[in-house]
Amino acid sequence: MEALLEVKNLTCGYQSDPVFTGVNLALYPGQLSGLVGPSGCGKSTLIRAMLGLVHPWQGEIIAQGKRLKLGTSPPKVGYVPQVETVDWNFPVTAEEVVMMGRYGHHKFSPWSSRRDRLVARELLDRVGIAHVAHQPIGDLSGGQQQRVFLARALVGEPDLVLLDEPTSGSDLHVQHELLHLLAELSQQGLSILLSTHDLNSVATHLPWVVCFNHGLVCQGEPAEVFTPAILRQTFGAEMLVLRQAERILISSDATTLLHELKNNLPQALRPNRSKSA
Amino acid sequence: MDFLLKPFQYDFFCRAMMVGIMVGLLCGVMGVYITTRRMSYIAHGLSHAILGGAVITYVLGLNFYVGSGIWGFGAALLIQYLTGRKIYSDAAIGIVTTASFALGVAIISSYRKFSQNFEAALFGNVLGVSPTDLWVVTGVTIVLLGLVFIFYRPLLFWCFDREVAQVQGVPVFAMDTLFALMLATLLVATLQVLGVTLIISAVVIPASIARLLSNHFGHMMMISGLLGAAISFAGIYLSYYLDIASGASVVLLSTLIFGLVLIWTRLQRRRKRHVPSLHPGHLPS
Amino acid sequence: MKSFVYLSLLALALAACRATPNNTVGSSNPTVSMVPTQTANSQKPLVVTTVAPLTNIVSNIAGDRIDVKGIIPEGTDSHTFEPRPSDTDILSKANLILVNGLNLEVPTEKLANATKPKNTEIFEMGGNTITQDQWMFDFSFPKEKGDPNPHLWVNPKYAEAYAKLAAQQLSILDPAGKAYYEANLKKYMQRLEDLDNVTREVVASIPLENRKLLTYHDSWAYWAREYGFQVIGAIQPSSFKEPSAQDVAKLIDQIKKAKVPAIFGSEVYPSKVEEQIALEAKVKTANTADDELPGDGGSANALENTNPQHTYIGMMANNLRIISIGLGGNPKLVDKLVTANVVGPTAIATKSAK
């Protein structure tokens, strides 16, 4: 199987010191992977480099078999940036943002086509924000904003989507919904890479993880990769790993681990409490 | 009625009106890009930078529009380049634009035989608009509005989220260049009407008023353009009866309208707020 | 935004510094150039003047006995001219400073006061030529503002008075040269008389109903009074700013009513508004000059000048041609006028114009 997007020996940085060095990574169709590492380890930079938004110091990026030229982006790739980077005051509605993603489909017409509107609405529905389609984006909640961006990335009908910290700042319930959605999409053939520093809610649920810390540490299935040794290398701290049936729980101290254990109990195993909205 | 129509008997006044309306329209439309991209400071600085270009153009004996246009375009590109770097970008822009402006002033003071009207450059002189100027402004208006129309979708995406736009196929470097060119053209063409110090108000105020009234980019553009044109018309018209400088009249009127709309929208918002009553038996939603 | 404010403040501060005179230059040499030097001394006395016509008139009298330096460059607006640091240097060495006065060169006079040597006098030519009841007020210089119109030298009769005053002041400064100055004065007066005569001829050739002047800057008041012209308006309002819409409308009406064939601008004040007024009122427009001498490559100082056109008389001759062409007179009447200086490279034997 040919990789959709591949980086070879990639080194990137902003000023004098590199942010990461010598990265080799390939993304294949239908793959759902997590890019895992501590804050500031270069995950965002790697994603942006793969998208052609940051000039690499060394190495190359290969998209669909062809070497990517400096300053260009790989075709048929979607990008969901971190929520903080966007100007929420901008006068557009959710639907208008999603429609922007249809640009690639007919570049020379000043207005959107009916098909654009149809696809946009379908996607808004799919990600569960059809009811706020006509609201200005500044009025949306964090989770809704995240999904607008995802819809925008998907509306272009890409083969690969890169998401930068899509679950940060969301509550568990929203996170789980997003992960479900991503899993569905990946089963339908979409390749997805998302970055996260959250192990227990996100990384341990993904079929494939890439451990990253200013360079590639290791990649594989969570069961193989989440060992104290590798976690130490990735996060620079001693981590406790608890395996329970299909699940893995990780934490740097026992108290938190127990807390996580409680939080991660399936619905049926929770003590009785009134349903929260 | 005669009293109201009196100023229109004069050719110079009619020309001033027509140019003023077109400039107001153009600045209003372009102003939406400039304010939403948080470029107001850049536009202000650029208008000062163009003064340097205008002076050099004069000294070298080139055509004002061509020379200043090229200089302004270069300055705009330089600023685009500097904005790309997030560190100290506003200081860098301040240095570039004030240096260009100061270069203009220095040349004026040392050239000694400089005989262009410095004051008109600063404050504009819409009353001195010649028939040629009118044609130039008309041409510029048609071209710029045409470009805004043709490139509406890519410019919108580029304006909102340049990085994702690049990923999804928008030629962002071309958009940078296009916008720089459009901005420089706008400023050079309108410099004569409002002058370096007042141009920024024509660009920023109608767009800001439109923002208060709309959440849709497209609507904002239409409101801003029409508002800009209407305020220009009213401002120049009033300047005749109040016997004050036309440029200043337009700016003051637009500021007044901004203030009124701001107050009105605040009141509207207050009226729309409804506090849920804490009735026993109701759970707060 | 903050950095922009700081940078602007810095720029302002620097500009303000530039405008204030450098006091150390003047006060640090208390003995140099205080006493009028004898001609036996190799150093000639230095007389500093302001606008070019003034420099020209004074240098014609001073000849080679005195160094005359004018500090306001030709074609600059004397009302707002800001001297440069090099001008401070010149002023600090002046033995005598001759200005027009009547608030023509206020910034220059301020600087002169601050930097000149203690004993050097600043002599106002204009103030000593006419008395207060002869002051003229008009459109650019309205009575409410208090400042009269200072453009006396445009009137050849007043130029004659200036020449006489120059001779008088130079003789006080350098008594040994008195006879020399008187001789120069006599020659120069002849030229000025010729100018006056030619002017009257040219005026006579202009139809009576066209003897009206509308100029950009009101510099023709005294000339008009002398030769029977009516100044019907000035485009430049008294605040030296651009005219308002109402001003422009009124001027257009005025021009149409007065039925003048031409209005006159000035190269010092290039004005697009003036062009549009002329366009709409359907009149011709041409530029006259009141402080710029015609012809390239000359100098206002007679001793340095090599272009015979580049003189005060040359300037007035040019003006007469332009006015007569515009208003329907005979410009050829000006051709017989000798415009050269009476000293220096362009001096030729004086011939009477008659």
Side-chain angles (χ1 to χ4, degrees):
Chain A
M1 207 186 343
E2 204 193 329
L4 289 170
L5 190 61
E6 197 179 342
V7 299
K8 287 193 177 156
N9 198 24
L10 200 67
T11 300
C12 266
Y14 294 108
Q15 298 203 301
S16 44
D17 294 317
V19 175
F20 58 77
T21 49
V23 174
N24 291 293
L25 184 64
L27 300 173
Y28 296 95
Q31 182 183 358
L32 172 58
S33 16
L35 184 63
V36 179
S39 303
C41 72
K43 304 192 296 293
S44 281
T45 311
L46 176 62
I47 287 178
R48 293 176 70 228
M50 288 170 99
L51 292 166
L53 298 173
V54 175
H55 288 186
W57 291 5
Q58 245 184 21
E60 48 184 26
I61 302 162
I62 299 167
Q64 296 179 349
K66 277 188 252 176
R67 196 164 172 213
L68 198 67
K69 274 187 279 199
L70 273 184
T72 60
S73 294
K76 304 216 92 201
V77 177
Y79 175 37
V80 181
Q82 289 186 29
V83 181
E84 297 75 46
T85 60
V86 176
D87 177 13
W88 295 107
N89 242 335
F90 202 89
V92 274
T93 62
E95 187 178 14
E96 284 167 350
V97 173
V98 176
M99 297 253 270
M100 284 184 202
R102 293 292 291 173
Y103 172 76
H105 286 262
H106 48 118
K107 299 187 182 180
F108 298 108
S109 149
W111 43 66
S112 317
S113 70
R114 207 179 302 170
R115 176 161 167 74
D116 289 343
R117 251 178 282 271
L118 218 68
V119 175
R121 245 169 243 155
E122 270 175 25
L123 264 166
L124 284 164
D125 209 13
R126 179 98 187 266
V127 301
I129 50 170
H131 58 292
V132 294
H134 297 291
Q135 284 189 26
I137 50 173
D139 289 354
L140 303 180
S141 70
Q144 289 169 329
Q145 288 168 347
Q146 195 63 269
R147 281 181 278 172
V148 170
F149 283 175
L150 180 59
R152 177 178 63 177
L154 295 171
V155 89
E157 292 164 17
D159 297 329
L160 165 66
V161 176
L162 303 179
L163 301 95
D164 198 348
E165 307 267 0
T167 55
S168 66
S170 313
D171 54 355
L172 278 178
H173 157 73
V174 170
Q175 276 178 25
H176 284 175
E177 280 199 16
L178 182 68
L179 289 173
H180 269 298
L181 177 59
L182 292 177
E184 260 180 51
L185 291 165
S186 119
Q187 272 158 23
Q188 285 166 8
L190 186 64
S191 182
I192 298 172
L193 175 73
L194 62 117
S195 71
T196 181
H197 53 259
D198 189 328
L199 292 167
N200 289 305
S201 317
V202 181
T204 52
H205 298 285
L206 298 170
W208 191 264
V209 294
V210 177
C211 288
F212 196 81
N213 188 353
H214 298 291
L216 197 62
V217 175
C218 180
Q219 59 174 315
E221 289 174 25
E224 292 167 13
V225 162
F226 288 148
T227 64
I230 294 171
L231 286 168
R232 190 191 313 127
Q233 219 183 326
T234 310
F235 287 90
E238 289 300 326
M239 300 288 212
L240 301 166
V241 182
L242 180 68
R243 274 174 228 274
Q244 196 198 44
E246 290 282 303
R247 286 182 328 167
I248 308 170
L249 286 168
I250 305 166
S251 179
S252 48
D253 73 273
T255 332
T256 323
L257 197 60
L258 276 169
H259 185 71
E260 291 287 352
L261 188 62
K262 267 197 226 138
N263 269 343
N264 271 287
L265 286 174
Q267 203 79 321
L269 294 176
R270 265 184 225 274
N272 237 341
R273 232 176 250 153
S274 57
K275 287 215 169 103
S276 50
Chain B
M1 196 59 194
D2 256 357
F3 176 71
L4 291 175
L5 288 176
K6 185 166 191 309
F8 294 101
Q9 295 169 355
Y10 299 96
D11 287 348
F12 81 91
F13 195 79
C14 291
R15 272 199 301 275
M17 270 304 200
M18 286 193 274
V19 168
I21 289 172
M22 283 194 282
V23 165
L25 170 65
L26 258 186
C27 287
V29 168
M30 292 287 286
V32 175
Y33 290 114
I34 290 167
T35 49
T36 53
R37 274 201 93 206
R38 312 285 169 97
M39 280 182 80
S40 312
Y41 167 57
I42 292 170
H44 182 69
L46 195 57
S47 61
H48 283 68
I50 286 179
L51 185 79
V55 171
I56 290 174
T57 300
Y58 172 77
V59 166
L60 294 176
L62 302 169
N63 175 279
F64 167 76
Y65 289 115
V66 172
S68 306
I70 294 173
W71 182 273
F73 178 47
L77 284 180
L78 180 61
I79 287 168
Q80 293 271 27
Y81 171 71
L82 289 170
T83 333
R85 284 129 199 263
K86 297 206 171 107
I87 307 163
Y88 304 115
S89 62
D90 59 342
I93 291 162
I95 291 169
V96 169
T97 56
T98 53
S100 181
F101 182 71
L103 180 65
V105 174
I107 292 179
I108 289 173
S109 68
S110 71
Y111 195 56
R112 297 226 142 181
K113 271 216 74 174
F114 193 82
S115 60
Q116 286 296 86
N117 202 330
F118 188 49
E119 188 171 316
L122 283 181
F123 301 110
N125 192 359
V126 72
L127 303 175
V129 168
S130 68
T132 317
D133 293 329
L134 181 58
W135 283 118
V136 170
V137 173
T138 307
V140 166
T141 303
I142 292 174
V143 168
L144 287 186
L145 289 181
L147 288 172
V148 166
F149 181 71
I150 294 170
F151 292 103
Y152 182 74
R153 287 166 70 229
L155 275 176
L156 174 59
F157 204 168
W158 166 87
C159 195
F160 174 57
D161 195 338
R162 190 175 178 279
E163 288 201 327
V164 178
Q166 179 181 339
V167 172
Q168 302 214 219
V170 174
V172 288
F173 292 106
M175 291 294 118
D176 289 340
T177 312
L178 175 67
F179 192 74
L181 198 52
M182 288 170 73
L183 183 57
T185 310
L186 172 74
L187 292 175
V188 169
T190 57
L191 199 68
Q192 305 191 71
V193 177
L194 287 168
V196 157
T197 50
L198 301 178
I199 270 189
I200 196 60
S201 62
V203 164
V204 166
I205 298 181
S208 304
I209 298 174
R211 184 71 188 91
L212 292 173
L213 299 172
S214 168
N215 279 320
H216 296 267
F217 195 83
H219 293 176
M220 239 185 99
M221 220 174 245
M222 285 192 277
I223 295 173
S224 184
L226 288 173
L227 211 53
I231 290 175
S232 262
F233 174 83
I236 295 175
Y237 187 65
L238 280 173
S239 78
Y240 181 81
Y241 291 102
L242 296 174
D243 201 15
I244 57 176
S246 311
S249 174
V250 171
V251 174
L252 289 172
L253 182 63
S254 56
T255 313
L256 176 66
I257 292 182
F258 176 77
L260 292 173
V261 173
L262 184 67
I263 294 171
W264 183 73
T265 49
R266 288 268 182 276
L267 290 174
Q268 288 283 74
R269 217 170 288 176
R270 209 164 286 179
R271 238 183 280 145
K272 278 200 191 142
R273 270 187 225 162
H274 37 238
V275 184
S277 57
L278 287 175
H279 212 278
H282 265 267
L283 279 172
S285 56
Chain C
M1 195 62 197
K2 250 197 219 162
S3 32
F4 184 84
V5 174
Y6 289 146
L7 279 166
S8 317
L9 283 172
L10 183 63
L12 268 171
L14 286 171
C17 283
R18 202 177 70 69
T20 54
N22 187 352
N23 278 314
T24 55
V25 179
S27 50
S28 65
N29 35 7
T31 50
V32 170
S33 314
M34 294 291 278
V35 177
T37 48
Q38 301 299 316
T39 45
N41 196 325
S42 55
Q43 261 223 324
K44 281 194 246 178
L46 175 63
V47 171
V48 173
T49 55
T50 55
V51 290
L54 200 60
T55 310
N56 188 242
I57 294 171
V58 171
S59 63
N60 268 286
I61 310 299
D64 49 24
R65 284 185 72 89
I66 293 188
D67 251 338
V68 178
K69 281 202 168 65
I71 54 177
I72 297 186
E74 298 187 42
T76 320
D77 182 358
S78 47
H79 303 274
T80 57
F81 172 72
E82 292 279 355
R84 279 192 304 188
S86 49
D87 300 326
T88 320
D89 197 40
I90 297 171
L91 284 164
S92 67
K93 301 193 182 104
N95 297 104
L96 173 65
I97 300 173
L98 296 174
V99 300
N100 181 73
L102 295 180
N103 290 328
L104 177 76
E105 328 98 318
V106 172
T108 311
E109 263 192 272
K110 263 202 218 149
L111 181 64
N113 261 313
T115 53
K116 69 173 175 67
K118 251 202 327 209
N119 280 2
T120 300
E121 199 192 329
I122 300 182
F123 184 81
E124 285 203 354
M125 304 287 254
N128 284 292
T129 302
I130 55 173
T131 55
Q132 212 169 337
D133 51 291
Q134 290 174 305
W135 284 0
M136 290 199 70
F137 295 96
D138 48 36
F139 304 95
S140 293
F141 299 93
K143 199 145 190 197
E144 306 83 61
K145 291 241 170 130
D147 289 338
N149 190 320
H151 297 91
L152 266 63
W153 67 88
V154 178
N155 179 349
K157 294 314 249 185
Y158 287 155
E160 286 177 17
Y162 276 26
K164 285 196 193 123
L165 283 170
Q168 179 196 82
Q169 289 299 310
L170 293 177
S171 302
I172 295 173
L173 180 69
D174 173 28
K178 187 167 164 159
Y180 179 65
Y181 303 133
E182 294 284 327
N184 285 343
L185 178 65
K186 189 150 177 259
K187 286 191 219 154
Y188 198 59
M189 287 293 284
Q190 183 61 61
R191 295 272 162 94
L192 291 176
E193 286 285 337
D194 291 344
L195 173 61
D196 176 51
N197 290 330
V198 167
T199 308
R200 288 181 201 282
E201 283 178 29
V202 170
V203 167
S205 74
I206 296 173
L208 197 60
E209 65 272 12
N210 283 354
R211 295 183 200 170
K212 299 175 188 141
L213 284 177
L214 189 128
T215 55
Y216 185 84
H217 180 64
D218 226 330
S219 34
W220 292 84
Y222 298 99
W223 186 94
R225 180 168 69 179
E226 183 71 43
Y227 299 102
F229 263 62
Q230 187 197 1
V231 175
I232 58 172
I235 298 174
Q236 186 183 52
S238 55
S239 54
F240 294 100
K241 307 269 177 253
E242 292 285 323
S244 72
Q246 249 184 45
D247 290 339
V248 174
K250 284 196 192 114
L251 284 165
I252 292 174
D253 288 340
Q254 206 167 11
I255 297 172
K256 287 187 174 162
K257 202 166 77 171
K259 293 202 184 67
V260 271
I263 63 174
F264 301 97
S266 165
E267 274 187 23
V268 178
Y269 300 105
S271 171
K272 295 199 75 181
V273 176
E274 176 207 319
E275 284 168 28
Q276 302 317 312
I277 291 175
L279 185 67
E280 192 160 343
K282 297 196 189 33
V283 294
K284 286 182 282 184
T285 171
N287 283 342
T288 56
D290 61 70
D291 57 16
E292 188 174 2
L293 311 182
D296 295 321
S299 168
N301 185 324
L303 280 190
E304 295 164 21
N305 184 34
T306 51
N307 183 347
Q309 298 299 322
H310 198 92
T311 64
Y312 162 72
I313 297 177
M315 176 183 88
M316 291 312 297
N318 230 22
N319 285 338
L320 286 174
R321 280 195 195 96
I322 291 167
I323 290 175
S324 58
I325 292 173
L327 299 177
N330 182 1
K332 291 206 177 37
L333 291 169
V334 184
D335 292 342
K336 56 178 177 274
L337 195 60
V338 177
T339 62
N341 292 309
V342 296
V343 297
T346 60
I348 53 176
T350 311
K351 281 204 186 105
S352 169
K354 293 215 177 74

